[in-house]
Amino acid sequence: AQKITQTQPGMFVQEKEAVTLDCTYDTSDPSYGLFWYKQPSSGEMIFLIYQGSYDQQNATEGRYSLNFQKARKSANLVISASQLGDSAMYFCAPDTGTASKLTFGTGTRLQVTL
Amino acid sequence: NAGVTQTPKFQVLKTGQSMTLQCAQDMNHNSMYWYRQDPGMGLRLIYYSASEGTTDKGEVPNGYNVSRLNKREFSLRLESAAPSQTSVYFCASSESLAKNIQYFGAGTRLSVL
């Protein structure tokens, strides 16, 4: 069974600063990817970024990037130049690519301040 | 530009009542999923459908049934609602199990009294 750990229940960051949200996972499956989703207060789940297990470089998508360290089983989300609209819950989830059981962490609530 | 559409958005049931949550996607995705989200928790998978005609249990299937009506539609049924099923329910779809970036509906907020 997979275990996802997001150790930061809440984070604060000032507008225009960068912030790192932590995610560690425990899976015995070597063939996996890693997702990050954003859930604003309106409730919808928004896909942000995906890292494939065999990708040679860390994934980037606009202001979002992943700091993927396979040996440590961590895939931290870095948001650069934070904006007020980035205030939301952020969930990570590894994907084994086989059973498709997308197991979500408990999330980190990010609050961007002026 | 609809993506994944869920109905209804809100529902209140009495214990023992039944209801069906509807989900439809217009992205020609093969795989579809139902999750529940309880306060302070991430999403937990209830059931999924790898492709039209197949369904499989997820982490928390008890008390639910699903139907993959066609490629577009995947419904979730509560036969006899219980207060423990009070939750927010999300439907999602992905191109396939292998290409598993999932796109979510807006959610259904269900209260069982």
Side-chain angles (χ1 to χ4, degrees):
Chain A
Q2 300 174 54
K3 180 179 179 181
I4 316 309
T5 303
Q6 293 183 256
T7 58
Q8 308 151 313
M11 291 279 288
F12 287 88
V13 64
Q14 275 195 318
E15 197 180 19
K16 301 179 185 178
E17 298 293 313
V19 63
T20 298
L21 306 184
D22 295 340
C23 173
T24 59
Y25 53 89
D26 181 12
T27 176
S28 58
D29 190 334
S31 174
Y32 54 86
L34 193 289
F35 300 94
W36 276 91
Y37 284 83
K38 172 185 178 181
Q39 187 176 41
S41 57
S42 53
E44 71 270 31
M45 294 290 287
I46 302 168
F47 166 72
L48 290 179
I49 193 167
Y50 173 78
Q51 178 84 45
S53 178
Y54 299 113
D55 290 346
Q56 295 298 312
Q57 294 184 326
N58 287 336
T60 61
E61 193 70 47
R63 294 186 298 109
Y64 304 109
S65 62
L66 279 179
N67 181 6
F68 190 44
Q69 300 183 42
K70 288 177 68 173
R72 294 186 176 185
K73 294 189 176 180
S74 72
N76 300 332
L77 176 69
V78 180
I79 305 175
S80 62
S82 297
Q83 301 172 356
L84 294 177
D86 293 334
S87 295
M89 285 289 290
Y90 289 82
F91 294 95
C92 75
D95 174 30
T96 66
T98 55
S100 82
K101 295 182 179 179
L102 189 62
T103 306
F104 286 78
T106 53
T108 294
R109 182 173 297 281
L110 176 67
Q111 186 68 46
V112 180
T113 61
L114 292 171
Chain B
N1 208 21
V4 180
T5 303
Q6 290 184 236
T7 56
K9 290 189 178 354
F10 301 94
Q11 185 72 46
V12 178
L13 294 177
K14 294 181 180 178
T15 297
Q17 286 185 317
S18 62
M19 79 159 296
T20 300
L21 306 184
Q22 306 287 352
C23 175
Q25 52 90 9
D26 63 3
M27 296 175 282
N28 200 35
H29 283 171
N30 290 298
S31 303
M32 299 184 72
Y33 313 81
W34 276 104
Y35 293 89
R36 61 178 289 172
Q37 184 179 30
D38 299 309
M41 299 182 70
L43 276 67
R44 292 184 293 168
L45 184 65
I46 304 171
Y47 271 94
Y48 67 99
S49 170
S51 60
E52 185 179 355
T54 69
T55 60
D56 286 287
K57 295 179 181 179
E59 182 184 354
V60 288
N62 292 344
Y64 305 95
N65 286 302
V66 291
S67 295
R68 183 72 183 268
L69 305 171
N70 48 55
K71 190 172 185 179
R72 290 187 64 247
E73 297 173 287
F74 188 37
S75 62
L76 177 72
R77 182 161 179 84
L78 287 70
E79 291 290 353
S80 178
S84 61
Q85 294 178 305
T86 293
S87 189
V88 180
Y89 291 85
F90 288 95
C91 176
S93 70
S94 67
E95 189 172 334
S96 67
L97 293 189
K99 295 180 179 180
N100 196 27
I101 295 174
Q102 296 186 17
Y103 297 90
F104 286 79
T108 295
R109 189 173 296 275
L110 175 68
S111 294
V112 182
L113 305 177

